């Protein structure tokens, strides 16, 4: 049995003129609900056209059927027409039905409220049903939220009755959902790969800063021949800087070197080469070892065109990362940042992690 809807005089709009023309709303249960014609016309152009439509048969009473939904959902719809809102109880019980009614009769305010309410009430159990309705009712926000929930909880959604029904009765929509999940996963993989690449370029940018710092100013145990680095305090990039110092010391004393197959020397060689590729100082000014030599050689040591292109791309990415990091870190913070000390072992591991990621061997 339907509950009795609030009459116009009982609604929030107490100033409604009860002498105006009434329209009878017919529900699925055979209930007739009188509603002011001008109120209906003011909230929906569809209802307005139905009211103005000539009657096929004689008679003084006009009626508009709203069927296919529970009678109480129609009552809640009429209540919204007069008051401009729906109760939480109505949204809980009839949110899906109200969304359908608001879409059919073009009541955007109610449709917006229903969309927000259904988003808040999405569960694994009801998401497939709500998704189908969102698709039919052209509710993009609700549709996207449903799709994301299905994508994130697909294993659980796959076990629901709604999904099984969808598989049996709408395979094309099932394919659409599976394609969305596949595209979402592809975007996530690209995003993760992009973050890893950006992290690499920022690490290499920091390594370039530390290399210039060590070779120009000196730091702790390594520095220019005409300076005493032991008087220097740890810098604010101590973990990377200390690892570079250990690698430079190894590079200076190693008997194998690159030609002899020393992997650690080869990585250090690549860092010197990377510095030369981004260095803009005159040869006489730059104090980083091998800088002038690499600038003169250019890319002649590359084995093939593909390796040269990969190296040029790496250089561009590091240059961009260097410029970005200088913009993100305020000058005052760079000056005031406290030195951070780590153990030599940790510093060496961090440095090897950076140089191990060089793409050209």
């Amino acid at each position: 049995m339907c509950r009795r809807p609030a009459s116009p005089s009982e609604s929030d709009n107490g100033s409604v003129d009860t002498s105006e023309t009434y329209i009878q709303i017919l529900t699925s249960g055979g209930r007739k609900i009188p509603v002011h014609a001008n109120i209906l016309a003011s909230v929906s152009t569809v209802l307005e056209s139905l009211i103005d439509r000539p009657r096929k048969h004689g008679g003084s009473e006009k009626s508009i059927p709203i069927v296919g939904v529970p009678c109480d959902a129609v009552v809640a719809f009429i209540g919204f027409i007069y008051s401009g809102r729906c109760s939480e109880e109505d949204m809980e019980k009839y949110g899906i039905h109200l969304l359908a009614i608001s879409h059919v009769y073009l009541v955007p305010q109610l449709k917006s409220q229903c969309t927000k309410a259904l988003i808040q009430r999405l569960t694994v159990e009801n998401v497939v049903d709500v998704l189908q309705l969102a698709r039919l009712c052209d509710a993009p926000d609700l549709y996207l939220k449903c799709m994301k929930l299905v994508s994130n909880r697909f294993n659980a959604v796959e076990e629901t009755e709604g999904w099984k029904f969808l598989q049996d009765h709408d395979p094309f929509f099932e394919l659409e959902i599976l394609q969305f999940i596949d595209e979402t996963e592809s975007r996530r993989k690209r995003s993760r790969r992009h973050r890893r690449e950006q992290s690499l370029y920022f690490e290499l940018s920091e390594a370039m800063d530390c290399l210039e710092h060590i070779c120009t100013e000196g730091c702790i145990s390594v520095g220019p021949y005409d300076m005493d680095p032991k008087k220097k305090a740890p810098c604010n990039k101590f973990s990377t800087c200390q690892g570079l110092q250990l690698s430079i010391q190894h590079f200076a004393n190693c008997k194998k070197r690159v030609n002899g197959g020393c992997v650690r020397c080869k990585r250090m060689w690549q860092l010197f080469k990377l510095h030369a590729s981004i260095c803009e100082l005159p040869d006489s000014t730059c104090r980083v070892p091998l800088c002038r030599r690499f600038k003169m050689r250019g890319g002649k040591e590359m084995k093939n065109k593909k390796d040269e292109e990969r190296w040029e791309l790496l250089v561009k990415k590091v240059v961009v990362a260097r410029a970005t990091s200088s913009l993100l870190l305020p000058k005052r913070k760079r000056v005031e940042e406290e030195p951070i000390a780590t153990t030599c072992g940790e510093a060496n591991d961090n440095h090897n992690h950076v140089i191990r990621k060089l793409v050209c061997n």
Side-chain angles (χ1 to χ4, degrees):
M1 173 182 271
C2 290
R3 66 186 180 186
R4 183 179 71 85
S7 65
S9 60
E10 294 173 347
S11 66
D12 290 353
N13 190 351
S15 61
V16 173
D17 184 358
T18 57
S19 65
E20 294 178 358
T21 304
Y22 279 89
I23 294 293
Q24 297 292 334
I25 301 296
L26 304 180
T27 69
S28 296
R31 177 75 179 275
K32 293 183 178 181
I33 305 173
V35 185
H36 289 96
N38 65 323
I39 298 295
L40 287 179
S42 67
V43 298
S44 168
T45 55
V46 175
L47 291 172
E48 182 182 18
S49 65
L50 293 175
I51 293 169
D52 295 337
R53 183 178 60 185
R55 293 189 298 277
K56 293 182 180 180
H57 307 288
S60 60
E61 186 180 82
K62 284 188 176 182
S63 62
I64 297 176
I66 301 181
V67 295
V69 296
C71 179
D72 284 343
V74 179
V75 173
F77 174 64
I78 295 173
F80 176 84
I81 289 176
Y82 280 96
S83 66
R85 62 176 182 270
C86 282
S87 66
E88 288 295 322
E89 182 182 358
D90 286 336
M91 281 296 181
E92 184 71 33
K93 293 181 179 179
Y94 310 113
I96 290 178
H97 306 294
L98 290 171
L99 176 61
I101 296 173
S102 64
H103 174 70
V104 170
Y105 295 104
L106 297 181
V107 185
Q109 296 84 357
L110 177 58
K111 188 174 182 178
S112 177
Q113 290 188 25
C114 291
T115 297
K116 293 177 182 178
L118 289 173
I119 288 175
Q120 294 174 355
R121 292 169 172 80
L122 277 179
T123 65
V124 170
E125 292 298 327
N126 71 7
V127 66
V128 175
D129 295 331
V130 176
L131 177 58
Q132 289 176 296
L133 181 65
R135 183 175 178 235
L136 293 172
C137 294
D138 190 25
D141 291 344
L142 181 59
Y143 177 87
L144 184 58
K145 288 290 184 181
C146 290
M147 279 293 203
K148 288 182 177 179
L149 178 57
V150 172
S151 177
N152 295 333
R153 302 286 304 278
F154 182 70
N155 290 337
V157 172
E158 200 175 16
E159 301 298 323
T160 63
E161 292 298 323
W163 180 261
K164 295 174 182 177
F165 182 87
L166 181 67
Q167 286 181 306
D168 295 335
H169 295 86
D170 197 346
F172 291 103
F173 191 32
E174 177 193 6
L175 179 61
E176 181 180 328
I177 295 172
L178 294 176
Q179 287 176 337
F180 177 88
I181 294 173
D182 183 64
E183 291 171 1
T184 300
E185 184 59 30
S186 298
R187 286 194 297 269
R188 288 173 180 169
K189 289 180 179 179
R190 289 196 298 270
S191 179
R192 287 193 294 266
R193 183 170 63 251
H194 177 73
R195 288 196 296 269
R196 288 195 298 269
E197 290 174 353
Q198 292 303 309
S199 176
L200 161 65
Y201 301 137
F202 278 109
E203 288 175 1
L204 289 174
S205 169
E206 184 175 284
M208 293 298 98
D209 291 338
C210 290
L211 185 61
E212 293 177 9
H213 159 66
I214 292 170
C215 297
T216 304
E217 304 169 355
C219 185
I220 305 298
S221 58
V222 178
Y225 68 91
D226 55 351
M227 298 179 66
D228 184 3
K230 294 183 179 180
K231 295 181 181 180
K232 296 286 184 179
C235 62
N236 56 12
K237 297 178 181 177
F238 182 75
S239 60
T240 302
C241 200
Q242 178 72 353
L244 271 171
Q245 292 177 66
L246 294 174
S247 293
I248 291 172
Q249 289 174 331
H250 170 84
F251 183 81
N253 300 312
C254 182
K255 303 301 181 181
K256 297 180 180 179
R257 289 294 177 89
V258 177
N259 294 333
C262 179
V263 176
R264 192 172 178 182
C265 287
K266 190 174 183 179
R267 292 170 182 161
M268 197 63 228
W269 191 272
Q270 289 173 329
L271 286 180
F272 284 132
K273 177 183 174 183
L274 181 60
H275 161 78
S277 298
I278 66 176
C279 180
E280 298 180 351
L281 295 176
D283 297 341
S284 59
T285 305
C286 182
R287 307 193 68 176
V288 177
L290 305 176
C291 180
R292 181 181 177 183
R293 176 178 175 179
F294 279 119
K295 286 180 179 179
M296 292 176 63
R297 293 175 61 179
K300 294 179 181 180
E301 74 282 357
M302 292 295 180
K303 297 179 181 179
N304 52 54
K305 185 69 174 178
K306 186 176 180 180
D307 287 344
E308 184 178 349
E309 291 175 352
R310 291 173 63 194
W311 182 263
E312 290 176 356
L313 179 61
L314 173 66
V315 172
K316 290 179 182 178
K317 295 291 186 181
V318 173
V319 170
V320 172
R322 204 173 189 188
T324 303
S325 61
S326 65
L327 293 174
L328 293 177
L329 190 62
K331 182 177 180 180
R332 182 177 179 181
K333 183 177 180 181
R334 292 200 300 270
V335 173
E336 296 179 352
E337 193 172 22
E338 293 293 332
I340 302 175
T342 62
T343 64
C344 291
E346 291 176 342
N348 194 28
D349 289 342
N350 289 338
H351 171 62
N352 286 337
H353 174 67
V354 172
I355 59 180
R356 193 179 297 119
K357 289 184 177 180
L358 280 168
V359 297
C360 293
N361 294 321

